[in-house]
Amino acid sequence: MVDRMLLDTLRRSEISASEVLSLVGDVSLSDLMRLAASRRDEAHGRKISYSRKVFIPLTQLCRDVCHYCTFAHAPQRGQRAYLTIGEVLAIARAGREAGCKEALFTLGDKPELRYGKAERELHEMGFASTLAYLQEAARAVFCETGLLPHLNPGLMEADDIATLRKVSISQGIMLESASARLCEPGGPHFGSPDKDPARRLQTIELAGQLSVPFTTGLLVGIGETPLERISSLLALRNLDERYGHIQEIIIQNFKPKPNTRMKHASAPTLEEHLWTIALARLLFRPDMNIQAPPNLSPGVLDMILAAGINDWGGVSPVTPDHVNPEAPWPHLARLAKATAECGKKLVERLAVYPAYARQYARWTDTSLQKSLLGLIDGRGWPRLDEWCPGTRGDPPADDLAMLREEANSPALLSGSVGRIVAKAQSGTRLEEAEIVSLFQAEEGDFTAVCRAADELRRSVNGDTVSYVVNRNINYTNICYFRCQFCAFSKGKLAENLRGRPYDIAMDEIGRRAREAWERGATEVCMQGGIHPSYTGAKYLEICRTVKQFTPEMHIHAFSPLEVFQGARTLGISVDEFLRELKKAGLGTLPGTAAEILDDEVRAILCPDKINTAQWLQIMGAAHRAGLRSTATIMFGHVDRYEHWARHLLRIRDLQAETGGFTEFVPLPFVHMEAPIYLKGRSRKGPTFREVVLMHAIGRLVLHSRISNIQTSWVKLGQKGIRACLEVGVNDLGGTLMDETISRSAGAQHGHEMAPKQMEDLIREMARLPRQRTTVYGDVAHDRYLASQNPSALKPIVTGLEVRRDRGVVPEPRATNFEMT
């Protein structure tokens, strides 16, 4: 209670530095550190992050004369004032080869205003200022190496920050101290115009106004008092509360260096450093990143961690710390070991922290977004492997190993994740934040979440794994909607998507349905683009055609978007149109066109499509009309974990109302040919860990409402679905025959998985295969026998093609399937 009262008081917005000092004056350092570490753990858990970087000292000339600095020096004979672009790129390339993702540019403040040599050299290179040259150097590094630049150029005006934002993922300037007294004669900043605290705070504020993720901090022990340190922290807190842009606070301890005016000054004591770290943690928002450089505290890293930091800053395997060359970076293996010995886990981050990476549209210039999105997972942390949905690459070995580890159940059940899992197992509805926590599960928690989901699967479904023999019939790929994820639709000719537009004739639809029946199928799954000439009558005709050719075939067709469109074009209600479709032979609906049931995402992904409420209303109407459906989610593009949680809850809530969903089907985003990815505006699909968790958490969240969890072999391949069968999945979906939509997006797992393949895989997993109907009934014996030795598919007729060049419509032609 006392701790909570102290925390609440310290966080008061109007609190003064003297009040803070009075409040903490009687608190022991050990208690202050304990409270700070606890606050850190609440927000950051076990993670202690670092950025793998290269250090690029663009120039070591500076117009300031800080009395403790050995980085800056006067011009030297035979030495250039600036690194050349070639030298900059050589450093960056070495960093890239060593696995670095950040290029940290450090330099002196505007040396051209003090040194003629700097001014002349800039002029010879064609630049008006150091900042202009910095822009070119950062651009070259980003374009040539892919490293993300972080810039520390000193004082800047708004125009400078805005210009450099186009070539940097983040920027920074150390406040060092808000005390103007340190700029007076005898102070460490006397004679250094750029160390004026008011001007430095103005630069930090301008960065906030321009939405730049920003690094700043204090240099402890340069002559400031404890009260001045607190004033400095409060000044930074005020700016962060206004703009939210300060991504990290560095609490750096001063080290006296030879050949400086402060070489005989006393370094701050360890206790002073720890006190300042702990206080920073307590004064700022809980999720603030508090950092202390590990190379400046050798031998006491455990104490630094205990004071409340959650980040070690940038650590380079290639370049020295040019500001503190006497203090080498600790080897990453040693740093990881020291971190682990304190019960924490060292994790890599980018130069932009995860919270800012997740909100990339606000915090990152459009020129950098494609590169950033290619590097991160849904949490904003770096992707740790190259696996993507739809590719033939093996799933990451580390994730597969974690699936098979024995989780530490007592530890799990005593923590927040354990409580959430237990709540889900009871069938109780989870909250959004609880589901987000499950998606963040790592290590033992990840294993335990997956194991808990599989235990639920076993209790609900036993060891049976089902599948349905079906054929996909995508009757047209012409569509006038502008869904940014879709590589199947051919309405957007300017997108240059592969394949030619087609519109299948009714006789061909009937022929394919009959051929599927002869091969043992019990279902045709039919969806297509929203053809501009289609009305609801067309959808009714499709149903009647299938029933005419194969009266006993189950028709699983028409997304809620198609239902909406059909009703609108006929001028009737959705309810009435659904009744007409049912009369015409429609059996169930696919739960597609859902993508993510959150309008924040839909505004980016499919802005002209039906919205979340409409999708849910149409599905509810279908269920009330006696038409059951699947429920899907397409994830891993521009979405975040909170969107996934909302989607799952909306599916669960509708199921509680109607009971109409037969199964939940996670569909990982396949990025390769998707327009939104090609434009640099999406991630390259979810990570394998996220795919596994979506299946497991789907089982947990929907428990007691939806019994069947399906995985997509088209998206994941055999190795991927084997993993998902270990985390709560009980259904492999359809054999498909003519799968085209995922392959249009770049998926490489083929167009059909024969029943024998399905059953062999299921048995290899020590499970029992079961061929089912669309609504999970038993198939007739003759249907099963017909599916076991199917004949080869005949060449398909794609229908009337639209010539892009002259708008000519040639005659229908037969083609081999793989060419469609």
Side-chain angles (χ1 to χ4, degrees), residues 17-18 20-21 24 177 181 218 220-221 223-234 272 275-276 279 283:
S18 58
V20 172
L21 188 59
V24 301
S177 176
R181 181 180 62 83
L218 274 57
V220 177
E224 80 289 353
T225 66
L227 188 64
E228 288 170 332
R229 284 181 213 153
I230 295 171
S231 295
S232 300
L233 291 172
L234 291 177
E272 288 179 284
W275 182 84
T276 310
L279 199 55
L283 287 173

Side-chain angles (χ1 to χ4, degrees), residues 358 373 376-385 387 389 396 399 402 438-441 446 450 633 635-637 639-641 644 648 664 666-669 683-698 716 724 727:
R358 289 196 301 271
L373 288 167
I376 61 173
D377 64 14
R379 302 166 297 172
W381 293 95
R383 295 178 81 107
L384 300 178
D385 55 75
W387 183 91
D399 289 338
M402 280 195 291
L438 293 181
F439 278 115
Q440 293 170 340
F446 169 80
C450 293
I633 182 171
F635 62 105
H637 30 77
D639 42 0
R640 301 189 300 274
Y641 292 173
W644 301 356
L648 287 170
F664 173 62
L667 300 173
F669 173 58
R683 294 197 287 132
K684 52 184 180 182
T687 64
F688 186 74
R689 171 192 159 278
E690 289 169 332
V691 168
V692 167
L693 281 173
M694 179 62 77
H695 290 81
I697 294 169
L716 302 180
C724 291
V727 301

Side-chain angles (χ1 to χ4, degrees), residues 139-299:
R139 185 202 62 77
V141 165
F142 175 70
C143 293
E144 296 294 326
T145 71
L147 298 187
L148 300 176
H150 171 83
L151 309 182
N152 286 337
L155 290 183
M156 294 178 284
E157 300 299 330
D159 289 347
D160 301 324
I161 296 170
T163 298
L164 293 174
R165 188 181 189 271
K166 300 179 186 299
V167 295
S168 63
I169 201 73
S170 54
Q171 299 175 26
I173 185 173
M174 287 289 283
L175 174 60
E176 298 190 2
S177 176
S179 173
R181 181 180 62 83
L182 301 182
C183 297
E184 296 174 357
H189 292 153
F190 179 66
S192 300
D194 299 290
K195 290 304 175 80
D196 177 1
R199 297 186 66 195
R200 293 177 89 78
L201 286 167
Q202 181 185 36
T203 293
I204 299 169
E205 180 168 16
L206 291 172
Q209 293 172 359
L210 293 166
S211 297
V212 175
F214 212 75
T215 293
T216 187
L218 274 57
L219 183 56
V220 177
I222 56 173
E224 80 289 353
T225 66
L227 188 64
E228 288 170 332
R229 284 181 213 153
I230 295 171
S231 295
S232 300
L233 291 172
L234 291 177
L236 293 175
R237 187 178 80 171
N238 178 57
L239 291 176
D240 184 63
E241 287 177 343
R242 292 173 64 184
Y243 304 106
H245 68 304
I246 297 180
Q247 63 170 356
E248 65 183 338
I249 299 290
I250 302 173
I251 306 298
Q252 182 174 329
N253 48 322
F254 161 68
K255 292 282 190 178
K257 297 178 176 63
N259 304 316
T260 66
R261 293 187 184 182
M262 294 181 67
K263 62 184 177 182
H264 297 304
S266 299
T269 65
L270 175 61
E271 288 72 22
E272 288 179 284
H273 192 203
L274 297 175
W275 182 84
T276 310
I277 291 170
L279 199 55
R281 171 61 65 197
L282 299 177
L283 287 173
F284 283 87
R285 51 186 160 88
D287 63 338
M288 177 58 77
N289 300 291
I290 306 296
Q291 177 195 128
N295 58 319
L296 300 183
S297 299

Side-chain angles (χ1 to χ4, degrees), residues 606-808:
C606 45
D608 54 351
K609 219 170 193 176
I610 54 176
N611 61 31
T612 297
Q614 289 171 319
W615 191 95
L616 293 168
Q617 289 164 3
I618 293 166
M619 274 304 189
H623 295 168
R624 287 187 290 273
L627 294 165
R628 301 193 72 186
S629 72
T630 61
T632 68
I633 182 171
M634 188 191 71
F635 62 105
H637 30 77
V638 298
D639 42 0
R640 301 189 300 274
Y641 292 173
E642 55 263 40
H643 300 128
W644 301 356
R646 293 168 198 163
H647 183 107
L648 287 170
L649 289 173
R650 285 165 179 154
I651 292 295
R652 179 188 168 94
D653 290 346
L654 181 58
Q655 182 73 343
E657 178 186 337
T658 68
F661 290 122
T662 55
E663 69 228 61
F664 173 62
V665 189
L667 300 173
F669 173 58
V670 177
H671 73 284
M672 287 76 85
E673 299 291 334
I676 195 168
Y677 175 76
L678 296 176
K679 295 174 184 177
R681 292 171 46 211
S682 80
R683 294 197 287 132
K684 52 184 180 182
T687 64
F688 186 74
R689 171 192 159 278
E690 289 169 332
V691 168
V692 167
L693 281 173
M694 179 62 77
H695 290 81
I697 294 169
R699 170 67 69 180
L700 291 168
V701 173
L702 301 174
H703 179 53
S704 78
R705 296 300 180 187
I706 297 179
S707 299
N708 301 299
I709 308 297
Q710 183 184 121
T711 192
S712 170
W713 61 264
V714 175
K715 315 283 188 182
L716 302 180
Q718 290 199 23
K719 292 181 180 178
I721 63 175
R722 286 172 187 270
C724 291
L725 283 170
E726 298 183 53
V727 301
V729 166
N730 70 292
D731 188 79
L732 297 186
T735 57
L736 297 183
M737 298 188 194
D738 291 338
E739 198 292 316
T740 59
I741 294 177
S742 294
R743 290 190 306 117
S744 295
Q748 302 169 359
H749 294 301
H751 63 86
E752 179 179 18
M753 183 179 284
K756 283 188 175 179
Q757 287 178 278
M758 290 268 194
E759 295 194 4
D760 286 347
L761 185 150
I762 292 167
R763 289 191 179 98
E764 288 169 7
M765 297 291 295
R767 305 282 176 83
L768 302 173
R770 172 179 174 259
Q771 193 178 120
R772 63 168 174 86
T773 66
T774 304
V775 293
Y776 287 81
D778 294 326
V779 298
H781 186 60
D782 67 311
R783 293 285 79 218
Y784 180 81
L785 291 177
S787 72
Q788 294 305 293
N789 292 291
S791 59
L793 287 168
K794 294 178 181 178
I796 64 173
V797 177
T798 57
L800 299 176
E801 288 197 346
V802 180
R803 291 275 294 277
R804 298 182 185 187
D805 48 356
R806 295 185 298 276
V808 178

Side-chain angles (χ1 to χ4, degrees), residues 465-521:
V465 179
S466 54
Y467 70 95
V468 63
V469 180
N470 65 350
R471 182 172 198 169
N472 273 16
I473 303 177
N474 303 118
Y475 33 80
T476 183
N477 64 354
I478 299 170
C479 185
Y480 67 86
F481 279 76
R482 300 187 300 276
C483 298
Q484 289 299 296
F485 60 86
C486 183
F488 170 75
S489 160
K490 300 299 180 289
K492 306 178 288 295
L493 300 185
E495 303 275 7
N496 194 31
L497 302 176
R498 64 186 186 185
R500 298 185 69 85
Y502 66 78
D503 185 11
I504 297 174
M506 286 295 149
D507 283 351
E508 174 64 9
I509 291 175
R511 185 196 69 77
R512 292 192 201 179
R514 184 169 55 208
E515 182 182 37
W517 181 261
E518 291 168 353
R519 298 175 92 244

Side-chain angles (χ1 to χ4, degrees), residues 288-462:
M288 177 58 77
N289 300 291
I290 306 296
Q291 177 195 128
N295 58 319
L296 300 183
S297 299
V300 292
L301 297 185
D302 56 336
M303 298 296 291
I304 300 295
L305 281 170
I309 70 158
N310 68 289
D311 188 82
W312 289 124
V315 178
S316 179
V318 177
T319 53
D321 179 351
H322 290 278
V323 174
N324 302 284
E326 77 288 352
W329 302 113
H331 191 281
L332 284 172
R334 292 199 302 272
L335 189 61
K337 183 174 184 292
T339 304
E341 287 172 349
C342 296
K344 302 298 181 184
K345 181 184 179 183
L346 186 67
V347 296
E348 185 181 357
R349 61 165 171 85
L350 301 178
V352 61
Y353 277 82
Y356 297 85
R358 289 196 301 271
Q359 300 284 349
Y360 61 90
R362 174 184 178 188
W363 296 107
T364 306
D365 188 80
T366 54
S367 62
L368 300 167
Q369 287 178 9
K370 181 175 184 178
S371 180
L372 174 63
L373 288 167
L375 291 171
I376 61 173
D377 64 14
R379 302 166 297 172
W381 293 95
R383 295 178 81 107
L384 300 178
D385 55 75
E386 294 301 317
W387 183 91
C388 294
T391 63
R392 292 188 184 274
D394 289 341
D398 288 348
D399 289 338
L400 292 177
M402 280 195 291
L403 288 179
R404 297 171 176 90
E405 287 180 359
E406 287 296 319
N408 187 340
S409 296
L412 171 69
L413 294 176
S414 65
S416 60
V417 173
R419 289 191 292 272
I420 297 169
V421 167
K423 181 178 177 181
Q425 289 172 320
S426 73
T428 304
R429 184 184 188 275
L430 299 182
E431 299 299 322
E432 178 184 320
E434 293 174 320
I435 300 171
V436 170
S437 294
L438 293 181
F439 278 115
Q440 293 170 340
E442 296 181 302
E443 299 178 295
D445 283 344
F446 169 80
T447 306
V449 166
C450 293
R451 188 175 66 175
D454 207 45
E455 288 171 354
L456 277 184
R457 182 270 309 163
R458 188 174 294 107
S459 69
V460 173
N461 308 101

Side-chain angles (χ1 to χ4, degrees), residues 563-564 566-568 570-580 621:
V563 172
F564 177 85
R568 186 185 66 82
L570 292 180
I572 61 178
S573 69
V574 166
D575 288 343
E576 185 177 352
F577 185 51
L578 286 166
R579 288 194 294 270
E580 292 298 315

